[in-house]
Amino acid sequence: MKINDKMATLVNAQINEELHAAYLYLAMSFQMQDEGYDGFAHWFLQQYHEEIEHALEIAHYLQLRSGKPQLTGVAEMPQHFGKPIELFEAAYKHECHVTELIHNIYKEALEANDYATSSFFKRYIDEQVEEEDTVLGIIDQLRMASDKGLYLVNAKLAQR
């Protein structure tokens, strides 16, 4: 069954949001690499790849439902986000924003009796719980480690 126009618009917005998140994490990775934090840079680069994968999966879903992915411009990213903990706090804030968007798609899909879209996005709801928890865990580690233990957290994230 063809996806309705309202749902296609929401799904397209999510594709572009995933690409925005990818660029955000790539910019963060570049900053961390420039500052010598190879582990943090690696973690953010892995997040970049994950967001690109999500954008492609969602676009493929839209095409399966006879929708057409429409890419919009991605805003320019900041070149500096602050100290490592500030990057992870910004990442957490962004993940919470993405969670809200996905919840909205799911809610709208249920209200429209679009069970295929609600089913597809259910896994993203579950994944967002994990994403938020992971980033909060890193923030907790950075707070406990303070500046003296930053190297240890950086080294741990290099193993991802």
Side-chain angles (χ1 to χ4, degrees):
M1 176 186 292
K2 182 174 169 47
I3 195 166
N4 74 44
D5 290 341
K6 182 178 181 180
M7 287 308 306
T9 298
L10 289 171
V11 172
N12 262 310
Q14 191 61 39
I15 293 166
N16 286 285
E17 193 65 42
E18 298 291 335
L19 293 171
H20 171 82
Y23 270 58
L24 178 69
Y25 289 134
L26 186 60
M28 290 175 168
S29 177
F30 289 161
Q31 178 191 333
M32 291 292 90
Q33 190 68 48
D34 287 346
E35 294 179 8
Y37 294 110
D38 295 348
F40 297 145
H42 173 74
W43 191 90
F44 283 116
L45 187 60
Q46 295 307 308
Q47 286 298 109
Y48 161 81
H49 289 296
E50 191 173 289
E51 301 301 343
I52 292 292
E53 184 179 311
H54 292 166
L56 294 173
E57 289 171 354
I58 296 168
H60 179 69
Y61 169 77
L62 185 59
Q63 289 176 312
L64 286 174
R65 297 285 310 279
S66 300
K68 299 199 182 311
Q70 298 174 355
L71 301 179
T72 60
V74 176
E76 184 175 334
M77 292 296 131
Q79 299 304 303
H80 191 268
F81 297 88
K83 296 178 182 180
I85 194 166
E86 293 172 308
L87 275 79
F88 284 96
E89 289 169 342
Y92 177 71
K93 182 178 177 184
H94 186 75
E95 290 296 340
C96 290
H97 170 70
V98 170
T99 297
E100 287 181 39
L101 296 173
I102 290 170
H103 286 177
N104 185 53
I105 292 171
Y106 187 79
K107 176 181 171 271
E108 291 292 331
L110 288 175
E111 289 175 2
N113 295 325
D114 184 345
Y115 302 114
T117 300
S118 62
S119 176
F120 178 81
F121 276 94
K122 171 73 169 75
R123 75 181 190 97
Y124 288 101
I125 290 171
D126 297 340
E127 184 168 326
Q128 283 306 116
V129 171
E130 179 186 326
E131 291 293 332
E132 289 180 23
D133 182 61
T134 298
V135 178
L136 274 179
I138 294 168
I139 292 168
D140 287 345
Q141 290 174 16
L142 289 169
R143 285 187 180 133
M144 286 186 287
S146 69
D147 288 341
K148 293 178 183 176
L150 199 57
Y151 173 79
L152 295 174
V153 179
N154 179 61
K156 180 180 177 188
L157 293 184
Q159 299 170 11
R160 176 181 183 202

